[in-house]
Amino acid sequence: MDCYEIMKRITTHRGVKQLVVINKDGLLLKTFPAESDELDESQIQSLHELAGAARRMVRDVDPTDDLMFLRVCSKTDEILVSPDMAFTVVVFQENHDKHAATA
Amino acid sequence: MDCYEIMKRITTHRGVKQLVVINKDGLLLKTFPAESDELDESQIQSLHELAGAARRMVRDVDPTDDLMFLRVCSKTDEILVSPDMAFTVVVFQENHDKHAATA
């Protein structure tokens, strides 16, 4: 099963709205499902900056450590960011714990 | 039970190393346990920037949405960031899922 198949499969999970792949320069490479609304350049840039800020923070606290995964909960969504050397994979899904939004 | 009692209690949870409270200007207000190593100014600044980057990203994707919670997994730690209007509470704990580090 190639990586495109895996990504397509992730987007079939309950609550998953979109999966995007960004390269290390912050350029959008792929959007799944292909027919979903593409994020615009400024949104991609914010995602890229967020991953950078998270990596800097982890290394500032411990220079031998590194960022593995980032989970952002907003009122309505959960945004999962998996950064790697060459690519960052981002999944947007519904916030399963919407009670958190009212806490 | 006042908020200090709650924070002290959080630091007694298994795996929790430290809890810090930062104000909206990025200044360190409190560290629990009080005898733990204080984060330095640059580390606090990185945390503050990370929370800002996460909030910008959420609002860029949907201007009606807002950041509720942020979870950063590094190889060794998990960093939980709970931002609010006036204060940001950050908990450093051991990464329970260290397998993720080798995935």
Side-chain angles (χ1 to χ4, degrees):
Chain A
M1 190 183 275
D2 71 8
C3 64
Y4 285 146
E5 286 304 313
I6 296 173
M7 290 182 200
K8 271 188 207 160
R9 204 185 52 192
I10 290 173
T11 59
T12 65
H13 286 194
R14 191 169 62 88
V16 172
K17 295 173 171 181
Q18 196 175 39
L19 182 151
V20 298
V21 183
I22 303 169
N23 77 0
K24 66 176 169 43
D25 301 314
L27 293 173
L28 180 65
L29 297 182
K30 268 283 178 192
T31 300
F32 296 92
E35 67 277 13
S36 59
D37 287 342
E38 271 208 358
L39 297 178
D40 68 28
E41 214 168 284
S42 123
Q43 292 165 338
I44 296 293
Q45 196 53 39
S46 319
L47 272 173
H48 188 61
E49 280 169 17
L50 173 63
R55 173 159 284 140
R56 274 195 301 281
M57 190 274 286
V58 167
R59 291 190 178 164
D60 264 3
V61 173
D62 178 358
T64 67
D65 203 356
D66 201 3
L67 176 67
M68 300 303 294
F69 193 72
L70 185 65
R71 186 185 285 259
V72 180
C73 296
S74 75
K75 283 183 189 165
T76 59
D77 285 359
E78 214 174 5
I79 303 155
L80 315 177
V81 183
S82 177
D84 198 61
M85 290 300 282
F87 307 107
T88 296
V89 177
V90 184
V91 174
F92 292 84
Q93 65 181 13
E94 280 170 23
N95 187 345
H96 294 309
D97 182 21
K98 289 201 179 171
H99 298 296
T102 57
Chain B
M1 188 183 277
D2 73 6
C3 65
Y4 285 145
E5 286 304 313
I6 295 173
M7 289 181 201
K8 271 188 208 160
R9 203 185 53 192
I10 290 173
T11 59
T12 64
H13 287 193
R14 191 170 61 89
V16 170
K17 296 173 168 179
Q18 197 175 39
L19 182 151
V20 298
V21 183
I22 303 169
N23 75 2
K24 66 177 170 39
D25 302 314
L27 293 172
L28 181 66
L29 297 183
K30 268 282 178 191
T31 300
F32 296 92
E35 67 277 13
S36 59
D37 285 344
E38 270 208 359
L39 297 179
D40 68 27
E41 215 168 286
S42 123
Q43 292 165 338
I44 296 293
Q45 195 54 38
S46 320
L47 271 173
H48 188 61
E49 280 168 16
L50 174 63
R55 174 159 283 141
R56 274 194 301 281
M57 191 274 287
V58 167
R59 291 191 178 164
D60 263 4
V61 173
D62 177 359
T64 67
D65 204 355
D66 202 4
L67 176 67
M68 300 302 294
F69 194 71
L70 186 63
R71 184 184 286 259
V72 180
C73 296
S74 76
K75 284 181 187 165
T76 59
D77 285 0
E78 215 175 4
I79 303 154
L80 315 178
V81 183
S82 177
D84 198 60
M85 289 301 282
F87 307 107
T88 296
V89 177
V90 184
V91 174
F92 292 83
Q93 64 180 14
E94 279 171 24
N95 188 346
H96 294 308
D97 182 21
K98 288 200 179 168
H99 298 296
T102 56

